[in-house]
Amino acid sequence: MSSAVLDSLAAHRLVPVVVVDGADQGARLADALVTGGLPVAEITLRTAGGLDAIRAVAQTQSGVVVGAGTVTTAGQVDDVVAAGARYIVSPGLSEAVVRRAQEHGVPVLPGVATATEIMRALDLGVDVVKLFPASVVGGPAAIRALAAPFPGLRFVPTGGVSAQNLGEYLSLAPVVAVGGSWMVEKSLVTAGDWAEITRRTVEAVALAAPKEK
């Protein structure tokens, strides 16, 4: 993964997984995150307006490290890169998606859930993966088990991560950052409650901050 993107994810330790529909929601959501101290977002392609949202954030919030999530085809890789996505996240491991992202020179986080998938990712030159769905496949215990035979691998667990358990994930050395959506719940986006999103983001940033020893 690109060192600049990886450094940004590692510095903030938290990646909001965002479902927005359209440019206006994307721009407003990015503003709320920045105000809350978190200039990072993974905008998913789960809605028809997801691509427009990525484009809007890339064009209006140059300081936000905006990525594209739920990317499942090589064609979508082309689309999100053209829209300005700085990294790509996939729910599973697709060689076509990884290869196309590499051709574009854009970092890619493929989803993995097993040692076999991790070995396939390593064969493709990937050393940072998304453990998904993290809570279903074993949570922090799964990361500890999977990290043992793959000491150079880094993880971004996503799926079931919450304010209550992110500390356990972030205490593990192989974890770069966690992906979560509790601070950017779709109901809040739909209601336009940007103030509550900012409040939750401030709270989440504080929870994810490294603890002094």
Side-chain angles (χ1 to χ4, degrees):
M1 174 172 275
S2 151
S3 60
V5 170
L6 180 59
D7 287 349
S8 182
L9 298 186
H12 296 290
R13 309 181 83 207
L14 182 60
V15 181
V17 181
V18 177
V19 179
V20 291
D21 197 0
D24 183 64
Q25 282 189 356
R28 289 174 177 270
L29 188 281
D31 286 342
L33 290 174
V34 170
T35 301
L38 190 56
V40 178
E42 174 195 329
I43 297 179
T44 69
L45 299 186
R46 298 178 191 176
T47 66
L51 191 63
D52 288 336
I54 292 169
R55 185 178 296 109
V57 175
Q59 291 176 350
T60 64
Q61 286 278 12
S62 60
V64 174
V65 182
V66 61
T70 323
V71 176
T72 58
T73 69
Q76 287 178 329
V77 174
D78 295 336
D79 292 340
V80 300
V81 170
R86 294 176 57 185
Y87 63 97
I88 290 166
V89 185
S90 185
L93 177 61
S94 161
E95 181 175 349
V97 167
V98 171
R99 292 295 191 203
R100 187 62 61 85
Q102 291 170 335
E103 289 170 8
H104 282 289
V106 175
V108 58
L109 278 167
V112 301
T114 66
T116 299
E117 290 170 337
I118 287 173
M119 291 175 70
R120 287 176 54 208
L122 292 171
D123 285 343
L124 291 168
V126 174
D127 59 5
V128 184
V129 295
K130 166 185 173 177
L131 184 71
F132 180 80
S135 63
V136 174
V137 302
I143 293 175
R144 284 190 287 268
L146 290 169
F150 306 109
L153 192 67
R154 310 288 295 282
F155 295 87
V156 178
T158 306
V161 179
S162 67
Q164 288 68 44
N165 63 20
L166 88 165
E168 188 176 358
Y169 284 103
L170 289 172
S171 69
L172 302 175
V175 172
V176 175
V178 297
S181 59
W182 74 92
M183 78 294 291
V184 289
E185 282 184 8
K186 187 67 170 69
S187 60
L188 297 175
V189 174
T190 300
D193 195 347
W194 312 115
E196 175 62 13
I197 289 173
T198 292
R199 188 195 70 77
R200 292 191 186 189
T201 300
V202 170
E203 193 175 74
V205 168
L207 287 171
K211 303 298 185 288
E212 293 186 7
K213 296 182 179 181

